[in-house]
Amino acid sequence: MSTAKPCCLVICSAAIDGVSTQPFIQAVTLLNSAFTLQLATPNGKAIEFVQQDDSSRRWLNDFRSKSVATPTRLDAIDVSRYSAVLIPPAPGALYDLAKDADVAAVLNQAVAERKPVCAIGLGVAGLCGAMKDDRLTWTFSSYSLTGPSVLSLARSPSFANLPLIIEDFIKDNGAVYSASKADQVHVVVDQNLITGQNEESTVVAVQNLILLCNARQGKQMPS
């Protein structure tokens, strides 16, 4: 008799700057081998996928025909039902997830229950709103993590108008930041938190999320 797959919550930005298409496809393809997926956005808004090409557009058209593609509201999420949380690369995360109270509540519950949490690239901004009970201390202040470096963000023409610089936020809030060269794979695993520096780190970060969940559940990697 087959065992039901554990569930993974995928938190996505609903801002106009959107979710990066190719890393999302990579993440969902990998996660489908190990999890049942649930997408969630602030207020259950539709996801805007950015940086599409013909191939990814065809994949998204097929994906949107499935019930899993419809996101639920973050304020309706019961974290105890999920084995893991993923925030994929998303330029929009700087504008909505970084300051969303429901994202913060989900992350705080996940940390309290020691659920594996993975955030990648600009999706790491989604971690920034989670504060401890004193409302002064960042939930991840005792962790080592990575995310887009100042140098990599500075290449963007919108750099001067970004609402959040992830590297600065991590350092200013007491955590340990590390980075590799721009566009190179760099993933940090600390306790139950997995972070990837950039979109290029998506596959390795998600693989580590699956491994960490399997270790928690005493499972082997799915074939």
Side-chain angles (χ1 to χ4, degrees), residues 61-202:
N61 287 339
D62 179 66
F63 179 72
R64 289 187 176 113
S65 69
K66 302 171 182 176
S67 60
V68 69
T70 303
T72 192
R73 297 173 59 98
L74 275 163
D75 58 3
I77 292 297
D78 176 5
V79 176
S80 64
R81 295 183 53 235
Y82 300 91
S83 296
V85 178
L86 170 70
I87 308 178
L94 294 166
Y95 299 92
D96 60 355
L97 302 187
K99 57 187 179 182
D100 189 276
D102 296 319
V103 174
V106 166
L107 291 171
N108 281 333
Q109 187 178 346
V111 170
E113 298 179 11
R114 298 202 58 77
K115 302 286 180 72
V117 173
C118 178
I120 307 167
L122 290 170
V124 175
L127 304 178
C128 295
M131 306 300 285
K132 294 184 177 180
D133 290 341
D134 62 8
R135 304 295 181 188
L136 298 172
T137 308
W138 188 35
T139 298
F140 300 99
S141 62
S142 63
Y143 288 76
S144 297
L145 60 164
T146 187
S149 66
V150 174
L151 288 175
S152 65
L153 291 178
R155 298 182 300 178
S156 168
S158 61
F159 175 71
N161 298 316
L162 293 178
L164 175 70
I165 303 299
I166 294 171
E167 177 182 345
D168 289 347
F169 181 92
I170 292 171
K171 292 176 177 177
D172 291 346
N173 284 274
V176 177
Y177 176 83
S178 67
S180 183
K181 296 177 182 178
D183 305 325
Q184 298 300 305
V185 174
H186 182 63
V187 173
V188 176
V189 181
D190 187 357
Q191 304 172 66
N192 59 316
L193 178 66
I194 302 160
T195 48
Q197 180 177 334
N198 45 36
E199 295 183 2
E200 289 80 6
S201 303
T202 299

Side-chain angles (χ1 to χ4, degrees), residues 5-6 8 26-37 83-86 116-118 120 189 192 194 202-223:
K5 289 181 181 179
C8 179
Q26 292 173 331
V28 166
T29 301
L30 280 171
L31 290 172
N32 268 329
S33 68
F35 298 100
T36 297
L37 303 184
S83 296
V85 178
L86 170 70
V117 173
C118 178
I120 307 167
V189 181
N192 59 316
I194 302 160
T202 299
V203 170
V204 174
V206 173
Q207 287 172 333
N208 274 275
L209 178 64
I210 296 171
L211 285 167
L212 192 55
C213 288
N214 287 337
R216 279 175 53 90
Q217 298 169 11
K219 290 183 176 181
Q220 297 181 344
M221 282 287 286
S223 56

